[in-house]
Amino acid sequence: MATASVAFKSREDHRKQIELEEARKAGLAPAEVDEDGKEINPHIPQYMSSAPWYLNAERPSLKHQRKWKSDPNYTKSWYDRGAKIFQADKYRKGACENCGAMTHDAKSCMERPRRVGAKWTNKHIAPDEKIETFELDYDGKRDRWNGYDASTYARVIERYEARDEARKKYLKEQQLKKLEKSNQNGEENAASDEDEEEDDLRVDEAKVDESKQMDFAKVEKRVRTTGGGSTGTVRNLRIREDTAKYLLNLDVNSAHYDPKTRSMREDPLPDADPNEKFYGGDNQYRNSGQALEFKELNIHAWEAFDKGQDVHMQAAPSQAELLYKNFKSERQVEYDRAGRIIKGQEAALPRSKYEEDVFINNHTTVWGSWWRDHQWGYKCCKQTIRNSYCTGAAGIEAAEAASDLMKANIARKEAATEDPTPTEEKKLATWGTDIPDDLVLDDNLLAEALKKEDQRKREEKDERKRKYNVRWNDEVTPEDMEAYRMKRVHHDDPMKDFLH
């Protein structure tokens, strides 16, 4: 961009300007001064030292490179929470009708709604709140910790310290109670429980002194700054109560200890009882357990790489482990001309796509392990219901008892059908009870009753045949009931035989 101070220059003026800039860079001429009287570094490029044309800069300056649009109204302060400025003695016009404060209305009032507001009682006028308005900058609007009082975190620290103190006090009281209890016990009980009490006291002592011993596995270390940097915690691998390996045998001719790697390959105490020593040298761990398997895995990866396999233990450990498993599972297998295995790997049985050997509902066998009477079931309880619960031997006994009872009932029923006992046939009366022996039906009255029943059925079929003057008789004779029963029976009724 062109600036206002840059005017048309001739070739001679332009050459002199270049020579002056070169002299300033070489230190032969004094540096140029800006509007504030400060020297401008001659090595700064012109596109940085020249101000845009719309600033109307008369002289070169670096002021436009700084924050020249600074607004003094921006602030980083925050609201004074709960601050009060004035409390009136009586209600003022325009104040809140509920509490009497001038800084808000009744709709925005945060006090409990009074039964009678301060506008009418003129008592207990609430003080006016401190109203503040801030114009925050870009960072202030997005500062999540703006207005946070760091001193409030002291309450959190005090609460945790009080909890630790209470815990220590409780553990100390429990230790004293156990000591008193052991002193009160007799010498006879004390001799038998001496070992258990000592173990409990050791545990309690460890709990009481936990605050002193909790940092035994931590090492403070300073990193990454000129003064040492921030403090970080690095875990140590040895408990401080254990004896260091280089102190197990102070003989100069004993196992060599390397202080740089903290390793001791040989056993420092070769003549000691192996049941009493807890450390037998680093070689003991390297030649046992998973360390030996890891060593074989590394050797196999190296040999496979030498033979042309693209495998690397550090770059692709999963690939190397899978290749090693396949190598271990490979065996020499001998086949015959038909393709059957003669020697070597046994033929693998084909497995189903469904889950196998899954026992449900307390069963010890799978469904289909028992077959009887064309039904599948469970062998453990001999049940033929798929989702039944296993009842075990008790269920088998109950099922056998029920089967025996059912067979006995069937046999008794068959015996009863082969030799039926003669039963006296009773003719039922029309009203559903046994017919008395002295009951005699008159044939003439029965014939009249049958005619009346036929006439009644015809009237039911056609309402027009019913007369207007109908006389109703409540008295029903045995002949009427017999006629009703005889007309009611149909020959195609499958239950007609039960009415005789």
Side-chain angles (χ1 to χ4, degrees):
M1 291 185 180
T3 59
S5 60
V6 178
F8 177 76
K9 295 182 180 180
S10 62
R11 181 178 297 179
E12 186 66 21
D13 295 338
H14 183 68
R15 185 180 60 80
K16 290 181 179 180
Q17 181 69 23
I18 293 176
E19 291 178 354
L20 180 59
E21 291 177 359
E22 294 294 335
R24 287 173 178 173
K25 292 180 181 180
L28 302 177
E32 192 175 6
V33 181
D34 59 0
E35 297 177 355
D36 299 333
K38 298 180 180 179
E39 295 183 353
I40 299 177
N41 190 344
H43 298 282
I44 295 178
Q46 186 178 6
Y47 71 91
M48 294 179 62
S49 60
S50 300
W53 59 270
Y54 51 82
L55 294 180
N56 297 323
E58 298 180 356
R59 299 180 59 184
S61 174
L62 297 177
K63 191 175 182 179
H64 60 280
Q65 295 289 350
R66 303 183 183 94
K67 188 179 179 181
W68 53 279
K69 283 187 177 181
S70 60
D71 192 346
N73 296 327
Y74 287 152
T75 179
K76 292 186 178 180
S77 58
W78 199 244
Y79 302 98
D80 191 2
R81 299 179 183 270
K84 310 296 182 181
I85 54 176
F86 177 73
Q87 184 172 6
D89 298 333
K90 59 182 181 179
Y91 182 79
R92 295 160 292 177
K93 184 179 180 180
C96 177
E97 298 179 358
N98 184 45
C99 65
M102 286 290 294
T103 51
H104 60 269
D105 54 0
K107 187 176 181 180
S108 304
C109 185
M110 300 300 293
E111 276 199 12
R112 175 182 60 85
R114 303 182 185 181
R115 186 175 183 180
V116 181
K119 179 180 179 180
W120 296 275
T121 59
N122 210 12
K123 296 179 181 179
H124 305 291
I125 305 298
D128 300 340
E129 296 92 352
K130 184 179 180 182
I131 304 299
E132 296 177 290
T133 303
F134 299 119
E135 187 176 356
L136 301 176
D137 56 358
Y138 181 86
D139 295 332
K141 292 178 181 178
R142 293 157 179 80
D143 188 4
R144 296 177 59 187
W145 296 95
N146 196 359
Y148 174 74
D149 187 6
S151 60
T152 57
Y153 190 73
R155 302 176 186 174
V156 180
I157 298 176
E158 291 176 0
R159 184 169 70 251
Y160 277 92
E161 290 179 351
R163 186 192 65 176
D164 294 340
E165 291 295 333
R167 182 170 178 269
K168 293 177 183 178
K169 184 178 179 181
Y170 172 76
L171 294 174
K172 195 69 176 179
E173 291 176 357
Q174 294 293 327
Q175 184 185 16
L176 294 176
K177 287 181 181 179
K178 288 189 177 182
L179 289 173
E180 292 176 359
K181 185 177 179 181
S182 62
N183 293 332
Q184 292 176 359
N185 294 334
E187 295 180 357
E188 298 178 358
N189 297 333
S192 60
D193 300 336
E194 182 178 359
D195 297 336
E196 297 180 1
E197 292 292 336
E198 288 181 359
D199 295 339
D200 295 341
L201 291 178
R202 290 194 192 97
V203 174
D204 295 337
E205 183 180 358
K207 290 182 178 178
V208 172
D209 297 339
E210 184 180 0
S211 61
K212 300 179 182 178
Q213 299 177 3
M214 62 188 301
D215 294 333
F216 72 91
K218 295 182 179 179
V219 175
E220 300 299 333
K221 176 179 166 183
R222 303 184 67 85
V223 291
R224 287 195 180 175
T225 57
T226 56
S230 59
T231 303
T233 303
V234 180
R235 186 169 183 82
N236 196 2
L237 301 179
R238 183 179 64 82
I239 302 177
R240 294 302 177 186
E241 283 77 2
D242 296 340
T243 305
K245 61 179 72 175
Y246 55 84
L247 297 178
L248 294 176
N249 192 349
L250 301 180
D251 188 3
V252 294
N253 297 324
S254 63
H256 173 69
Y257 174 74
D258 186 8
K260 185 176 181 180
T261 59
R262 298 182 182 181
S263 61
M264 182 180 287
R265 300 179 181 275
E266 300 178 0
D267 188 0
L269 300 172
D271 299 332
D273 187 6
N275 297 326
E276 296 181 356
K277 61 181 179 181
F278 64 93
Y279 179 74
D282 295 342
N283 292 335
Q284 179 183 0
Y285 303 114
R286 293 182 179 181
N287 298 327
S288 62
Q290 295 183 351
L292 189 60
E293 298 178 1
F294 184 74
K295 180 180 178 181
E296 294 177 356
L297 178 60
N298 276 322
I299 294 174
H300 176 265
W302 296 336
E303 293 177 352
F305 182 78
D306 293 339
K307 294 179 181 180
Q309 293 285 345
D310 188 10
V311 60
H312 195 277
M313 185 59 196
Q314 281 71 32
S318 301
Q319 179 187 4
E321 186 176 1
L322 181 61
L323 184 64
Y324 180 62
K325 288 182 178 180
N326 295 335
F327 172 76
K328 290 179 65 176
S329 61
E330 291 179 357
R331 298 179 181 177
Q332 185 177 1
V333 183
E334 187 177 351
Y335 299 89
D336 59 0
R337 292 184 178 181
R340 294 186 295 265
I341 298 176
I342 300 176
K343 182 180 179 182
Q345 186 179 4
E346 297 180 358
L349 296 176
R351 296 182 62 86
S352 173
K353 67 177 181 179
Y354 304 101
E355 295 181 349
E356 297 182 3
D357 299 334
V358 178
F359 307 115
I360 61 173
N361 296 336
N362 204 29
H363 289 284
T364 56
T365 57
V366 296
W367 169 259
S369 58
W370 189 64
W371 168 266
R372 185 176 183 181
D373 297 335
H374 303 282
Q375 287 183 339
W376 292 104
Y378 295 99
K379 186 178 180 180
C380 55
C381 58
K382 297 184 179 180
Q383 294 194 55
T384 57
I385 301 175
R386 178 66 180 272
N387 293 325
S388 62
Y389 194 82
C390 184
T391 55
I396 297 175
E397 295 176 359
E400 292 177 354
S403 178
D404 296 341
L405 182 60
M406 184 178 63
K407 291 179 180 179
N409 293 336
I410 293 173
R412 185 170 60 253
K413 187 175 180 180
E414 291 178 354
T417 55
E418 292 177 358
D419 188 13
T421 56
T423 57
E424 184 181 356
E425 296 182 359
K426 294 183 179 180
K427 188 176 182 181
L428 297 176
T430 54
W431 47 84
T433 59
D434 296 339
I435 299 175
D437 297 335
D438 56 350
L439 180 62
V440 178
L441 296 175
D442 190 355
D443 295 337
N444 298 328
L445 296 177
L446 181 60
E448 292 179 0
L450 290 172
K451 292 180 181 179
K452 289 180 182 180
E453 185 66 22
D454 292 337
Q455 185 179 359
R456 187 183 65 82
K457 287 190 175 183
R458 285 195 299 271
E459 291 177 356
E460 287 181 357
K461 292 180 180 179
D462 192 357
E463 293 289 339
R464 293 175 297 178
K465 294 182 179 181
R466 179 178 294 181
K467 299 179 181 179
Y468 291 100
N469 299 325
V470 179
R471 292 180 296 174
W472 185 260
N473 187 6
D474 297 348
E475 298 178 359
V476 180
T477 61
E479 289 79 4
D480 295 338
M481 294 296 294
E482 185 67 19
Y484 175 78
R485 186 182 67 83
M486 292 173 66
K487 293 295 183 181
R488 185 179 177 86
V489 174
H490 301 281
H491 294 287
D492 57 347
D493 189 0
M495 305 296 291
K496 61 184 177 61
D497 296 335
F498 292 89
L499 298 176
H500 297 288

